[in-house]
Amino acid sequence: MSYILALDQGTTSSRAIVFDAKGRIKKIAQKEFRQIFPQPGWVEHEARDIWSTQVGVAQEAITGAGLRASDIAAIGITNQRETTVIWDRATGQPIHNAIVWQDRRTAGICDALRAAGHEAVFQHKTGLLLDAYFSGTKIRWLLDNVDGARAKAERGELAFGTIDSWLVWNLTGGELHITDASNAGRTLLYNLHTGDWDDELLGLLDIPRSLLPEVRSNSEVYGTTAEGLFGARIPIAGMAGDQQAATFGQVCHTRGMAKNTYGTGCFMLMNTGGEIVPSANKLLTTLAWQRDTTTYALEGSVFVAGALVQWLRDGLGIIRSSGEIEALAATVPDTDGVCLVPAFVGLGAPHWDAYARGTLIGLTRGTTKGHIARAALEAIAFQSADVLEAMQRDGGDLKELRVDGGASANNLMMQFQADILGVSVVRPTVTETTALGAAYLAGLAVGYWADTEELRALWQVDRVFEPAMSDDERAGRLATWRKAVERSKGWADV
């Protein structure tokens, strides 16, 4: 019997999951790595930590499952998107820490491009808004601020990649410098209409084309792992950015289907089929996946979700483990007027305020850590409600929302999510759908699974949360939340 290995490289940890032919988990290995915060609003990773933890958990998952590398039919890769690495082609060494998708240091570059009248061309060509979230301005910052980087880039000596590219480069011993279409579409440099890097956008950001990887589809055999890495060469056959992979893993393969992933951030995607649907409500038009044809999606990106629970654990110390938050929140019947807006690195969709900052409001002498914990869980759900409203204004008619990611296991929060959205929230049996999507893409490429019909038959419901809140209460709660959001906006000077 053979298996598929998914490498799930996330914002706070690297994971590897071995899946069987039924889409069931045989073994998981996971390791957190260091988060680097050089100054407020800046977030970095050491790219070598990403590689070492990812290859380490991959080996651990294979051996922990009692398997050998020869038992693995293919590797699928999914990754934190937009996080930017530039490395030396000759040495393979990064020229600087990776700049993480949450990082806001390039907000000023975005402001300048916007002031010069370029926002419309970026949005039309890429489907994205001009925001520090995306890779393009991060590349520009690295070239402008790392000594000698621009000259080396002009000479073709450097390579840029999002984390998928960085992993494949290392997995293949430097043989392949590639990315997939879903990750390319998150750079501000890729033209959705032509399916290629765009010279006009490269010129506006002053980025040499020689820096960029080759763009490949999301499901094909790209190459194999380097000799000696795992004991046998394993085909690398699928890649997708984490949110696109989760959408594929949730088998949202039909236009109008949507999922929400609760990870470090929170990301809602709605399949729009083969149509590039421009958003009039500050959502992103994104490439979902490219196989025989290209599928697109509307996306709402929330920057802080699970990271908020991590902050309660590591920053405030009011819980010892993330799993304790549900019990703590359940110690109180409501938030008693406390509202927490987790704009630690600005606000994403649909606000796009790089200068917003976290706000805890409505405190009284009666406020307890239980109230704060409950407000944190509600904040994650409220942010998703803002996104869904924008999605519906863009023409989406959502009847149910499929959910996944770590926080989807939290029953209290999932019930509140259904209540505040007013639609059914459906949790599948396997909630590791980001890794599962990467596994599916790789497995399809090597014939491990026959087609998407087979994948749809594997998807099973664990629980459905039905909305139980009255329309009046929902409207009142949302109004209070939006008042708090307005208080958080425009706080930071840089």
Side-chain angles (χ1 to χ4, degrees):
M1 182 179 287
S2 62
Y3 297 85
I4 301 290
L5 176 65
L7 305 183
D8 182 359
Q9 204 301 298
T11 309
T12 58
S13 70
S14 296
R15 291 193 295 171
I17 305 181
V18 177
F19 289 98
D20 69 11
K22 297 292 187 184
R24 297 174 303 205
I25 294 169
K26 185 170 178 65
K27 184 65 179 177
I28 297 181
Q30 177 170 345
K31 188 172 181 58
E32 290 191 1
F33 55 89
R34 186 167 56 114
Q35 307 294 301
I36 303 166
F37 307 104
Q39 61 187 65
W42 292 29
V43 190
E44 296 179 357
H45 292 154
E46 163 57 85
R48 285 166 292 207
D49 288 349
I50 289 174
W51 164 241
S52 64
T53 55
Q54 189 64 78
V55 73
V57 293
Q59 292 162 337
E60 183 184 337
I62 294 169
T63 57
L67 304 175
R68 296 169 298 179
S70 56
D71 297 316
I72 304 300
I75 290 174
I77 296 170
T78 184
N79 56 285
Q80 52 165 317
R81 305 170 301 173
E82 299 95 17
T83 295
T84 298
V85 188
I86 297 180
W87 64 93
D88 188 294
R89 291 181 183 272
T91 66
Q93 295 301 306
I95 65 167
H96 189 276
N97 283 341
I99 301 181
V100 179
W101 57 272
Q102 299 163 314
D103 189 281
R104 313 310 292 164
R105 76 187 65 184
T106 62
I109 297 174
C110 297
D111 290 343
L113 287 165
R114 201 175 292 112
H118 299 308
E119 184 164 35
V121 70
F122 277 99
Q123 186 169 8
H124 170 69
K125 290 188 172 187
T126 70
L128 309 177
L129 299 173
L130 261 180
D131 191 81
Y133 176 25
F134 305 107
S135 309
T137 58
K138 302 180 197 301
I139 301 170
R140 166 77 171 270
W141 189 93
L142 287 166
L143 294 181
D144 288 346
N145 288 275
V146 176
D147 285 346
R150 183 165 292 283
K152 284 188 172 184
E154 298 285 0
R155 295 196 298 268
E157 296 171 8
L158 300 181
F160 151 74
T162 42
I163 298 302
D164 57 311
S165 299
W166 172 242
L167 292 179
V168 171
W169 174 277
N170 284 285
L171 285 166
T172 62
E175 286 185 10
L176 290 178
H177 181 215
I178 63 172
T179 190
D180 68 83
S182 70
N183 275 294
R186 309 295 293 194
T187 60
L188 279 175
L189 305 174
Y190 183 82
N191 189 319
L192 292 180
H193 306 277
T194 64
D196 195 9
W197 302 119
D198 189 276
D199 288 326
E200 180 184 9
L201 303 181
L202 287 168
L204 288 172
L205 284 166
D206 199 14
I207 294 170
R209 195 181 178 104
S210 61
L211 200 62
L212 305 179
E214 178 189 356
V215 182
R216 306 281 284 271
S217 78
N218 293 93
S219 183
E220 62 174 282
V221 178
Y222 311 109
T224 63
T225 57
E227 190 74 43
L229 192 59
F230 294 115
R233 285 182 175 263
I234 306 171
I236 304 167
M239 291 194 295
D242 51 10
Q243 303 315 316
Q244 289 94 334
T247 309
F248 199 83
Q250 283 275 36
V251 294
C252 292
H253 299 161
T254 306
R255 183 183 177 118
M257 296 182 72
K259 69 87 202 174
N260 202 22
T261 297
Y262 302 84
T264 300
C266 200
F267 302 87
M268 191 182 295
L269 270 75
M270 177 180 284
N271 186 325
T272 63
E275 184 182 359
I276 299 172
V277 177
S279 173
N281 295 283
K282 296 191 174 180
L283 298 180
L284 307 175
T285 303
T286 200
L287 194 153
W289 52 78
Q290 195 176 79
R291 293 180 63 238
D292 299 330
T293 59
T294 302
T295 298
Y296 301 92
L298 278 174
E299 175 176 337
S301 309
V302 170
F303 295 154
V304 174
L308 176 55
V309 180
Q310 193 177 45
W311 174 71
L312 295 181
R313 183 192 70 188
D314 300 339
L316 293 190
I318 68 172
I319 52 174
R320 289 170 296 179
S321 69
S322 298
E324 294 178 6
I325 190 169
E326 184 172 7
L328 180 57
T331 62
V332 293
D334 53 46
T335 67
D336 195 29
V338 174
C339 210
L340 174 51
V341 182
F344 299 150
V345 289
L347 289 168
H351 310 285
W352 298 106
D353 184 346
Y355 304 101
R357 287 297 178 266
T359 304
L360 182 58
I361 200 165
L363 301 178
T364 68
R365 282 292 300 273
T367 299
T368 68
K369 59 185 181 181
H371 294 119
I372 294 172
R374 196 173 186 106
L377 294 182
E378 291 190 359
I380 297 170
F382 275 129
Q383 291 178 106
S384 297
D386 287 347
V387 169
L388 179 61
E389 183 180 304
M391 207 166 267
Q392 289 171 328
R393 288 201 303 268
D394 274 335
D397 182 21
L398 198 64
K399 297 294 190 295
E400 71 168 33
L401 181 67
R402 296 186 173 187
V403 296
D404 55 74
S408 67
N410 188 311
N411 292 330
L412 188 153
M413 193 179 89
M414 289 300 98
Q415 183 57 55
F416 186 77
Q417 185 70 90
D419 288 343
I420 210 67
L421 292 181
V423 300
S424 301
V425 167
V426 184
R427 184 172 65 200
T429 304
V430 177
T431 57
E432 296 290 352
T433 51
T434 301
L436 185 60
Y440 282 165
L441 289 164
L444 288 169
V446 297
Y448 187 81
W449 289 290
D451 51 34
T452 54
E453 287 298 322
E454 184 178 355
L455 304 184
R456 275 193 279 277
L458 298 177
W459 189 84
Q460 293 181 315
V461 173
D462 169 54
R463 183 168 169 181
V464 179
F465 298 86
E466 297 289 359
M469 185 180 286
S470 71
D471 291 345
D472 287 346
E473 184 182 355
R474 182 182 303 118
R477 297 297 304 276
L478 285 167
T480 300
W481 159 256
R482 285 163 185 163
K483 185 164 68 170
V485 168
E486 289 305 312
R487 301 284 175 91
S488 76
K489 289 183 175 179
W491 182 262
D493 295 325
V494 292

